[in-house]
Amino acid sequence: MTMHRRALLGAAGAAALATTAQAQTRWQMATAYADGNLHTRNIKTFLDEIQGASNGRLAIQLHSNGALLKMTEIKRGVQTGQVQMGEILLTAYANEDPIFDADALPQLVTNFVQAKKLSDLQKPYIEARFNRQGLTLLYMVPWPAAGLYAQQEVTSLEQLRGSRFRTYSPMTNRFAQLIGAQPTLVQSAELAQAFATGVVQAQVTSAATGVDTQSWDYARVFTPLGFTMTKNAVFMSRRALEGLPQDQQASIRAAAARAETRGYELAEAAQRETEATLAARGMNVTQPTQQLLDDCARVGRTMADEWVTRAGDDGRRLLEQYRASIA
């Protein structure tokens, strides 16, 4: 009788363990950025919060630095269920839909207040497109303002004519074309080698990316331009989200709201700290000449006109709303 009771208790315990194991949902998340990057650090806190709120029912493994999926593969990876969550640079997907490219228009957004205004106005357009693709937008965070990296001080865009110019999106590709440079697509993880081998000679990107890629090893001058403040979007499979209990769905949305607020704070701090790091590492951090700013603004106006043609009524409305908000 005793042995029978022990057997029953053992079976019950095993069943309970099996039920617990089955109850835990395991997800994967992919990002193209390094662990020390401000966006990746923000994601780690975000994931810790939603896992903690789930009381062990949800486990999420983060694959950073493009280890699982490259930037160009992440959105499709979430759509097909290869991973449940992902982070992308919106402008990198502009060939899919030009509305993703609004924040990549040169000199349209030059500070964090403007970046938040554009992001809030752009959000419904992004959500609508994601929803049609089975995705749920969780939050968006801008990069620190992009500046110009080169081997010598650049005082006008004419100096870049004929140079091999690193691009990472359709908009940076078009910028290179308009200034007479040779567009060359290079992902951030490959920057050091590309500069070292002469594949590229100049680029526009944030000081944060410069620190991530140790730009002092491959470029001599950084000029903060307020050129663009592109955004990263963190999103997930709508099916995966809706498959969770309501309390977990709510905790994810609440954590996402906190992540967006925290992300802006991290980005502002990163802009100050990373520009200081570039200087401390020996790069010449130079303020832009008025000629260079005027040149960028001129090219930016051309690109905005072209963009509205591609983006249609949604793009026109978005730009009108944004310009009215900062007037």
Side-chain angles (χ1 to χ4, degrees), residues 64-269:
S64 58
N65 207 32
L68 181 61
L69 297 172
K70 294 180 180 179
M71 170 71 74
T72 53
E73 302 167 336
I74 290 174
K75 186 166 174 287
R76 183 64 180 167
V78 178
Q79 288 176 268
T80 59
Q82 187 175 358
V83 294
Q84 287 72 39
M85 303 177 75
E87 178 190 43
I88 61 170
L89 178 69
L90 278 173
T91 186
Y93 282 79
N95 278 338
E96 180 181 305
D97 194 311
I99 207 73
F100 294 150
D101 227 9
D103 56 20
L105 291 167
Q107 308 302 120
L108 181 66
V109 166
T110 60
N111 59 59
F112 285 98
V113 172
Q114 292 177 350
K116 187 66 167 69
K117 287 181 178 179
L118 179 62
S119 182
D120 289 346
L121 291 168
Q122 193 180 7
K123 184 177 181 181
Y125 299 100
I126 303 297
E127 287 179 326
R129 283 152 176 81
F130 275 17
N131 285 340
R132 289 197 294 267
Q133 298 171 330
L135 304 173
T136 296
L137 177 66
L138 295 173
Y139 67 87
M140 298 185 291
V141 170
W143 286 85
L148 177 65
Y149 291 77
Q151 305 301 1
Q152 63 282 321
E153 184 177 358
V154 176
T155 58
S156 75
L157 290 182
E158 183 62 29
Q159 287 176 245
L160 296 174
R161 183 175 297 277
S163 66
R164 292 180 291 278
F165 197 87
R166 179 254 175 155
T167 66
Y168 50 85
S169 67
M171 201 70 87
T172 52
N173 191 77
R174 181 57 177 154
F175 177 77
Q177 291 173 343
L178 286 171
I179 67 174
Q182 300 174 31
T184 307
L185 179 64
V186 176
Q187 298 299 327
S188 59
E190 301 161 352
L191 270 174
Q193 182 179 4
F195 269 88
T197 57
V199 171
V200 293
Q201 298 167 301
Q203 67 166 341
V204 283
T205 193
S206 69
T209 296
V211 170
D212 284 349
T213 60
Q214 298 184 351
S215 58
W216 47 86
D217 289 336
Y218 60 77
R220 296 188 179 92
V221 181
F222 174 73
T223 305
L225 288 175
F227 183 77
T228 56
M229 297 183 72
T230 53
K231 292 187 293 295
N232 281 10
V234 171
F235 59 99
M236 66 176 298
S237 159
R238 189 170 72 240
R239 176 180 292 181
L241 179 64
E242 292 176 352
L244 294 176
Q246 287 296 324
D247 63 325
Q248 288 189 47
Q249 293 186 41
S251 69
I252 288 174
R253 294 188 182 280
R258 292 192 297 271
E260 183 161 295
T261 299
R262 183 174 58 245
Y264 273 80
E265 295 168 355
L266 289 170
E268 290 191 56

